[in-house]
Amino acid sequence: MDQSSGLAPSAEDILASYHIPSVKPLWLNANYAKHIVKGNFLTLSAKPKTVEMGEWVAHQVVDHWRMLITFIRLVHDKEEDGSSICNSRKCPKMSAGMNHSFTWLSSRLIPVEIPAYEYLTLVQRYISGKIDDSNIFPTDPAGVSYAENAAFSSPAPETGRQWDDTPEQALNEKPGQDWIGKRSGFPQNFLETCQTIFRQMFRVYAHLYWSHFEDMFSLNLEKSMNSCFSHFILTATTLNLLKKADLEPMQPLIDLWAALGTFPPGSKAYENANLQVGRLLVQKAGGPPSN
């Protein structure tokens, strides 16, 4: 609410509050927000009722990491001459536009700014290490469990806790207390570990969009990345793996996709969007994109 006038802020006012550069990123043009497939990605994110939540979250972490690592390698892997698309000259810090930058915890647990290339190296090491750790992601088929009640048939509730980028945080659960994934052999802090992984994956996507979308476009991969990222956002919001505040660097694109119908009404991604802003972005692009 605009206190001076008593009126709700306009879409233009909200869009201005995002502090987007005057020359808007290519991905904020509705004509470049297309996907390689049509359909409702929400069906891929919603947990089947017979699958235990821990198993479903683990599946989503592994599946989305498999998709993201493809785009990371395109900008991170070095060519024969030693160059890479993402490098310390082009990306001196891990950022998502001018308003958001991400730090990594040093060995002394001090947040430090590092070049995006180094950040991507550490992210790959961190996430792959977690997924490959059988104490965190048990792979014994005997550990697979199925839901027996409604409590395990719906997304985990928000806990209201704040997490930093330290390795998984102990939850100090009371003896005998249940937790997501317990019956499948996942540790008490499994959900928090997965939330940290998803937050790191989101930051990588945000950097790819703000700093390397034109690189993806030149490789004819922008639709592929749009498809993977919109699926990622639907999963993250449906399963409460990201908080609304985490989404801020990519809020304009979330608004745009909600307006374009990428996020179906009723989904948490749709609820987190500002339709006014999304429709304004569509209008600025000259209307909905053609198929």
Side-chain angles (χ1 to χ4, degrees), residues 270-289:
Y270 185 91
E271 293 172 0
N272 283 328
N274 188 303
L275 283 181
Q276 279 186 298
V277 174
R279 289 166 182 157
L280 177 61
L281 289 167
V282 172
Q283 180 184 340
K284 288 179 178 293

Side-chain angles (χ1 to χ4, degrees), residues 38-102:
K38 293 182 178 180
N40 186 353
F41 285 112
L42 187 59
T43 60
L44 301 177
S45 303
K47 184 186 72 64
K49 291 184 177 180
T50 56
V51 178
E52 193 268 327
M53 179 58 80
E55 292 289 344
W56 187 244
V57 170
H59 167 74
Q60 294 297 330
V61 168
V62 173
D63 199 37
H64 283 286
W65 178 238
R66 176 184 58 80
M67 290 185 279
L68 176 56
I69 195 69
T70 301
F71 301 112
I72 293 177
R73 287 171 176 165
L74 285 171
V75 302
H76 186 266
D77 287 359
K78 293 184 180 294
E79 302 291 341
E80 292 183 0
D81 62 1
S83 65
S84 59
I85 293 175
C86 186
N87 54 69
S88 58
R89 178 186 57 81
K90 181 177 181 179
C91 306
K93 61 182 180 179
M94 184 66 175
S95 61
M98 297 295 294
N99 304 305
H100 299 92
S101 61
F102 310 117

Side-chain angles (χ1 to χ4, degrees), residues 3 36 49-50 73-74 123 136 148 155 164-165 181 211 269 286:
Q3 294 182 354
I36 56 174
K49 291 184 177 180
T50 56
R73 287 171 176 165
L74 285 171
V123 160
I136 302 174
E148 297 176 353
D164 57 23
D165 290 333
S211 299

Side-chain angles (χ1 to χ4, degrees), residues 1 18 29 35 50 52 54 56 71 131 170 192 223 243 252 265:
M1 183 75 68
Y18 293 165
N29 186 315
H35 298 67
T50 56
E52 193 268 327
W56 187 244
F71 301 112
I131 291 175
E192 281 62 45
K223 291 182 181 179
K243 302 174 185 177

Side-chain angles (χ1 to χ4, degrees), residues 34-227:
K34 301 177 184 177
H35 298 67
I36 56 174
V37 294
K38 293 182 178 180
N40 186 353
F41 285 112
L42 187 59
T43 60
L44 301 177
S45 303
K47 184 186 72 64
K49 291 184 177 180
T50 56
V51 178
E52 193 268 327
M53 179 58 80
E55 292 289 344
W56 187 244
V57 170
H59 167 74
Q60 294 297 330
V61 168
V62 173
D63 199 37
H64 283 286
W65 178 238
R66 176 184 58 80
M67 290 185 279
L68 176 56
I69 195 69
T70 301
F71 301 112
I72 293 177
R73 287 171 176 165
L74 285 171
V75 302
H76 186 266
D77 287 359
K78 293 184 180 294
E79 302 291 341
E80 292 183 0
D81 62 1
S83 65
S84 59
I85 293 175
C86 186
N87 54 69
S88 58
R89 178 186 57 81
K90 181 177 181 179
C91 306
K93 61 182 180 179
M94 184 66 175
S95 61
M98 297 295 294
N99 304 305
H100 299 92
S101 61
F102 310 117
T103 58
W104 194 268
L105 287 183
S106 69
S107 58
R108 297 182 178 181
L109 302 183
I110 299 173
V112 294
E113 280 194 347
I114 57 178
Y117 183 90
E118 185 178 346
Y119 195 106
L120 294 178
T121 299
L122 293 172
V123 160
Q124 292 178 80
R125 186 181 305 162
Y126 174 81
I127 296 180
S128 295
K130 295 301 180 188
I131 291 175
D132 292 341
D133 187 342
S134 59
N135 292 317
I136 302 174
F137 286 79
T139 56
D140 183 359
V144 176
S145 180
Y146 296 90
E148 297 176 353
N149 58 64
F152 289 96
S153 300
S154 57
E158 289 281 7
T159 65
R161 295 186 179 95
Q162 298 291 325
W163 294 277
D164 57 23
D165 290 333
T166 55
E168 59 281 355
Q169 304 291 308
L171 291 182
N172 298 319
E173 302 286 356
K174 297 178 181 179
Q177 187 170 352
D178 210 349
W179 64 83
I180 298 296
K182 178 178 181 180
R183 291 182 295 120
S184 295
F186 294 99
Q188 285 186 349
N189 54 355
F190 172 70
L191 182 61
E192 281 62 45
T193 298
C194 292
Q195 288 170 323
T196 298
I197 291 173
F198 253 70
R199 188 167 62 251
Q200 290 293 354
M201 287 197 285
F202 174 85
R203 291 176 177 183
V204 172
Y205 269 121
H207 179 71
L208 290 176
Y209 270 92
W210 279 98
S211 299
H212 299 292
F213 187 79
E214 291 186 7
D215 296 315
M216 297 299 170
F217 182 79
S218 67
L219 295 169
N220 199 31
L221 290 173
E222 79 283 358
K223 291 182 181 179
S224 295
M225 190 163 76
N226 287 341
S227 298

